[in-house]
Amino acid sequence: MSLYHWRPHVVLVLLTLYPIESLATNFTQCFESVISCAQNSTSPDCTSNLNISNTTAFSVLRTSDGSLIPPVLTAIDAATALSYGGCVKYCGSGQEPFSWNDFLARVFRMAPSLSRFALPASLRGST
């Protein structure tokens, strides 16, 4: 009788070797795909991968304040987001992989405005 069971360890090793990033969602790429489908719904990405028409693509596109954009090609530039339902339906509900580079770039871009709130006036210098 053996006290050591090798099967659970093999499963754990295989799970650690499985690339988790393959399950991650790239929301930027998905948003760009929906934009492209709004412009040309006959592209292979629209017909096979997303299965979305240009009318549907326009219905899920939103401006930065969450309002709908008009269904005309000149309004595509105003689209900065997808509706929540459209995002889940066409992009999935997974997480996007965390990127330290993106995070730090955003922090450093915001650093001057954050110092006005985070630092006492005496330490801010003359602003």
Side-chain angles (χ1 to χ4, degrees), residues 6-20 22-23:
W6 61 273
R7 286 187 187 110
H9 298 289
V10 170
V11 171
L12 286 175
V13 168
L14 291 175
L15 284 176
T16 58
L17 295 176
Y18 184 74
I20 298 298
S22 67
L23 299 175

Side-chain angles (χ1 to χ4, degrees), residues 24-77:
T25 300
N26 185 335
F27 292 107
T28 304
Q29 180 182 7
C30 180
F31 173 70
E32 290 170 359
S33 294
V34 173
I35 291 276
S36 123
C37 292
Q39 294 169 332
N40 177 17
S41 63
T42 60
S43 72
D45 196 31
C46 304
T47 56
S48 60
N49 295 346
L50 292 177
N51 193 21
I52 185 173
S53 68
N54 65 340
T55 306
T56 307
F58 272 108
S59 73
V60 298
L61 290 171
R62 298 289 188 267
T63 61
S64 58
D65 66 356
S67 58
L68 286 166
I69 63 166
V72 290
L73 289 179
T74 55
I76 285 284
D77 292 337

